[in-house]
Amino acid sequence: MSTLKPVCESWFATEKINDWLYLISEPHYYWWNRANLWLIKGQKQDLLIDTGLGVSSLRQHIASLIDKPLLAIASHIHFDHAGGMHEFDHRAIHAAEAKALETGDDHEALCTAEQGWVLEEHFEQLPHADFTVTQYTLHAAEPTQVLKEGDVLDLGDRAFEVLHLPGHSPGCIGLYDAKSQDLFSGDVVYDGELLDQLHCSHIPTYIQTYERLQRLPVDTVYPGHYSIFGRSRYQQITVEYLEAKRKPGCPAEQRL
């Protein structure tokens, strides 16, 4: 006999990192695949980097923190990052994955039953009483802004450059503030097991991305999973990945 899981009082948790940044998480979901959702408060615009699973209203949860126009950005199409995009009026994703978001492509989002990424045991508590894993899907949401390499998102008091960093998936991006050397890295780089053997992954491209990242001056990484880390750990992660994946004699050359 299966044990009925409790319904949580609040699906989301919010941590204020500093005066301009909030970290939002889904604490009742499996920690290994639990995404970091970053709310950046700007002078004239706010950014929301990733929107989680989409099983509870993130828009309602952050309503009290929003006092200016908000752009929701998917660092890539996977369900744990793009699941809540449909809730927001202004939403952006890289051109390589814009169609998948527009059509609600469960295969590209890794959330079909056959792929086995969305499992009942990953939910410690339920977001609402009638939630079932079998009905989970990526809600179709037409992007209002299609991002490309070199785009600049100007918040008034700081600006982020869009870096196209494929390898984990074709449309992976990072947001980089050259002045502070902050990198919001999505699933491109984080301090944990890097996934590069998904159907949408391509290791030679990931190697090129990491060679590029080695030349990028980074002070702090705000990743798509796990903890914030600094320059030293960033350099260590990129070196270790390249040493493990490169084939001798054929390092790729990629300009920043």
Side-chain angles (χ1 to χ4, degrees):
M1 180 181 296
S2 62
T3 302
L4 293 177
K5 295 182 180 180
V7 176
C8 65
E9 292 185 8
S10 177
W11 180 251
F12 298 103
T14 300
E15 177 185 356
K16 185 175 182 179
I17 304 300
N18 53 45
D19 288 342
W20 59 271
L21 182 64
Y22 292 84
L23 169 59
I24 302 153
S25 62
E26 299 174 284
H28 306 295
Y29 182 65
Y30 183 39
W31 68 270
W32 188 78
N33 208 35
R34 183 188 307 158
N36 295 328
L37 320 178
W38 301 103
L39 176 61
I40 302 173
K41 301 291 295 175
Q43 186 179 60
K44 64 181 184 181
Q45 182 183 18
D46 294 338
L47 296 181
L48 176 63
I49 304 175
D50 290 333
T51 57
L53 301 170
V55 297
S56 185
S57 179
L58 178 60
R59 181 174 179 172
Q60 181 178 342
H61 177 76
I62 64 173
S64 64
L65 299 175
I66 303 303
D67 56 3
K68 56 184 70 70
L70 174 70
L71 177 63
I73 299 171
S75 66
H76 61 300
I77 192 60
H78 293 163
F79 71 95
D80 50 326
H81 297 267
M85 289 292 286
H86 67 283
E87 280 203 284
F88 297 92
D89 296 331
H90 303 284
R91 45 190 179 265
I93 193 169
H94 187 268
E97 294 175 348
K99 189 68 174 180
L101 181 61
E102 181 180 356
T103 59
D105 189 330
D106 284 346
H107 182 70
E108 292 307 309
L110 302 182
C111 61
T112 66
E114 295 74 21
Q115 289 168 306
W117 283 96
V118 185
L119 301 175
E120 184 177 352
E121 56 263 35
H122 291 172
F123 293 81
E124 298 171 3
Q125 296 186 31
L126 302 181
H128 49 84
D130 57 352
F131 174 78
T132 60
V133 165
T134 56
Q135 294 178 348
Y136 184 85
T137 189
L138 179 73
H139 294 280
E142 183 177 359
T144 61
Q145 185 171 347
V146 175
L147 301 174
K148 64 183 186 301
E149 168 74 28
D151 285 349
V152 175
L153 304 174
D154 185 0
L155 308 189
D157 51 348
R158 62 191 301 153
F160 289 93
E161 181 183 357
V162 175
L163 306 181
H164 183 209
L165 303 171
H168 175 71
S169 76
C172 274
I173 62 168
L175 295 183
Y176 179 64
D177 182 342
K179 185 176 180 181
S180 65
Q181 297 186 357
D182 290 336
L183 175 65
F184 288 82
S185 65
D187 276 8
V188 177
V189 56
Y190 53 79
D191 196 356
E193 180 186 357
L194 296 170
L195 301 182
D196 60 6
Q197 298 187 37
L198 304 167
H199 83 274
C200 52
S201 303
H202 189 247
I203 291 174
T205 300
Y206 219 153
I207 290 173
Q208 291 179 359
T209 284
Y210 265 54
E211 290 175 334
R212 177 185 184 185
L213 290 177
Q214 279 194 312
R215 299 191 294 273
L216 186 71
V218 171
D219 184 70
T220 306
V221 178
Y222 300 93
H225 295 277
Y226 312 126
S227 300
I228 298 167
F229 55 93
R231 183 188 307 269
S232 177
R233 183 61 181 143
Y234 169 78
Q235 293 171 342
Q236 184 180 9
I237 290 170
T238 55
V239 167
E240 288 177 351
Y241 182 83
L242 288 172
E243 287 180 348
K245 300 295 180 178
R246 271 180 179 149
K247 293 182 179 178
C250 57
E253 292 295 329
Q254 179 80 2
R255 291 187 176 181
L256 182 65

